Amino acid sequence: MDRHMSTHPDEQPDEDPTAANARWREAMISAYTRFHELGWSRKKTFPGLVSFTIADDASQANGSFQWSWSVPSAVRETINGINAWAMRLHEWATWIELLPEYDDETRWEIAYHFVEPLAFFAMYQPRAVAERLLEVAETALHHANCFTIPNTKDRLDQDTLKPGTRFSMRQRLAQLDRLGSHWNAYRRFRDLWTQIDSKTYRKHSRDFRNLTSHSFGPRFHTGEILRAHRSVGPAPVTVEQPDGTYQIAEDPTRTCVSYEFGVIEPLEFAAAYKANLEEFQITKRSIDALHQLIVELVEAMNTRHAGLKIKELGGTSTHES
């Protein structure tokens, strides 16, 4: 007798693994087909792509090889990342609309195989894109300043850091403000950039990116994580009150270990998507502001370059109006 077959009259035989795999494959193919059909029908809700015009405009600068080599390429790669984020958001929203059509087991399988990877990628983008925009702005401002502002040295604050020393975000932003102080379009970019990955978003996303990178972040859709947070602090002591009751106070002369027990609840796809989409929209406004800054920098660099060429020729401009 086949050892995999049940001998109990009330038990059903185990499903053939080949048949189970075929059934799972058919369900996933069917779901993915529905996903593509619905995705095409939802084109009007697509969050939009960022134009590469800013990269083309950045490439028009003359006079600084450092700028020409680095800034247009960095801008283009930043836009590639933002547009990939837009695609994942559209796919994520499509799956969110589809999931209620399926039973619990199939919905779990779809979420695990198709939806969670999209959500995971998207949830990392606000901080990642903010860091890239910051680096692009720092690089562009520095090289524009070096070329257009007399006596500007090719020096940045991080140049003096000792090996292994961290250049903090506060230091980096202070430097960026100094680099951008000469330019009219800088302040709007800076104000919009500050809104990306804000405290509000980290609250709504339950600090998903940071916790997932360094500890335990919330799961998606289903599943709780039990956590016991350990801390050391002043020992508690009971202190008798004048009325004969007792209150808990801290004894500053002794310390003890304490634990806070809690549960990390899962993030719902729809709520996480909504918060992430808002971050994407803020990012699009930020890169529009960066575009205006890049245009201002390029115009100043080209004006300076033209002036230097005239000076080299030993004359003045002969262009007719």
Side-chain angles (χ1 to χ4, degrees):
M1 179 177 291
D2 189 336
R3 62 176 179 155
H4 295 291
M5 298 294 291
S6 170
T7 58
H8 194 284
D10 295 328
E11 291 183 2
Q12 298 296 320
D14 295 338
E15 184 175 10
D16 179 9
T18 302
N21 184 59
R23 180 174 54 81
W24 177 88
R25 185 171 63 250
E26 182 178 350
M28 295 302 102
I29 292 173
S30 175
Y32 203 63
T33 301
R34 283 282 295 124
F35 160 75
H36 278 285
E37 293 171 350
L38 184 58
W40 279 107
S41 69
R42 298 182 72 258
K43 286 187 290 185
K44 290 183 178 180
T45 62
F46 185 75
L49 299 176
V50 173
S51 169
F52 286 92
T53 303
I54 178 176
D56 296 335
D57 288 343
S59 67
Q60 299 305 309
N62 293 300
S64 170
F65 182 76
Q66 290 88 342
W67 169 293
S68 299
W69 184 264
S70 62
V71 175
S73 178
V75 169
R76 189 169 288 108
E77 186 59 21
T78 300
I79 295 172
N80 281 333
I82 294 172
N83 288 343
W85 183 10
M87 294 298 297
R88 303 298 83 78
L89 277 167
H90 180 64
E91 294 165 354
W92 188 5
T94 302
W95 281 117
I96 289 173
E97 187 172 334
L98 272 178
L99 284 174
E101 297 183 6
Y102 299 91
D103 60 69
D104 289 345
E105 182 178 353
T106 306
R107 186 161 57 243
W108 186 90
E109 291 283 357
I110 291 172
Y112 180 74
H113 287 279
F114 298 129
V115 193
E116 287 190 17
L118 301 175
F120 197 95
F121 173 87
M123 296 293 281
Y124 265 66
Q125 295 316 296
R127 185 71 259 153
V129 171
E131 295 281 356
R132 293 184 195 123
L133 289 174
L134 182 60
E135 183 170 337
V136 169
E138 180 184 88
T139 302
L141 287 166
H142 175 62
H143 291 311
N145 288 350
C146 285
F147 185 67
T148 63
I149 302 174
N151 302 318
T152 299
K153 295 182 179 180
D154 190 354
R155 297 288 186 273
L156 291 170
D157 293 348
Q158 54 264 45
D159 297 346
T160 60
L161 292 178
K162 295 180 180 179
T165 304
R166 179 175 175 270
F167 193 49
S168 71
M169 181 59 70
R170 179 176 295 181
Q171 292 172 305
R172 195 172 182 187
L173 291 177
Q175 173 174 259
L176 191 72
D177 288 342
R178 187 175 67 255
L179 295 173
S181 63
H182 308 283
W183 307 99
N184 294 325
Y186 170 73
R187 181 44 55 184
R188 180 170 180 268
F189 165 74
R190 175 70 157 84
D191 291 343
L192 286 168
W193 179 88
T194 303
Q195 299 176 35
I196 305 173
D197 195 35
S198 65
K199 290 182 179 179
T200 300
Y201 174 69
R202 291 197 293 271
K203 178 181 178 181
H204 290 162
S205 67
R206 305 230 295 283
D207 206 16
F208 177 87
R209 196 274 315 176
N210 187 47
L211 288 176
T212 303
S213 298
H214 305 291
S215 181
F216 293 90
R219 298 184 62 182
F220 283 114
H221 186 56
T222 185
E224 298 177 337
I225 303 175
L226 305 183
R227 297 288 286 149
H229 295 280
R230 181 182 183 275
S231 62
V232 177
V237 60
T238 55
V239 178
E240 186 176 4
Q241 304 300 303
D243 61 0
T245 61
Y246 288 85
Q247 288 188 354
I248 301 296
E250 294 181 348
D251 182 351
T253 65
R254 296 186 300 125
T255 61
C256 72
V257 175
S258 63
Y259 288 88
E260 181 182 354
F261 299 93
V263 175
I264 301 178
E265 300 284 350
L267 267 175
E268 291 299 328
F269 282 132
Y273 166 81
K274 181 176 182 295
N276 195 255
L277 177 62
E278 291 173 356
E279 291 296 300
F280 176 81
Q281 293 165 342
I282 294 171
T283 298
K284 286 186 68 177
R285 294 196 293 272
S286 298
I287 203 164
D288 285 343
L290 179 64
H291 191 178
Q292 297 305 310
L293 177 59
I294 291 290
V295 168
E296 183 182 3
L297 299 178
V298 169
E299 289 178 351
M301 292 174 71
N302 288 344
T303 299
R304 170 70 169 163
H305 183 258
L308 290 174
K309 291 196 70 174
I310 292 171
K311 186 176 180 179
E312 287 175 3
L313 293 174
T316 58
S317 174
T318 59
H319 287 297
E320 296 181 358
S321 59

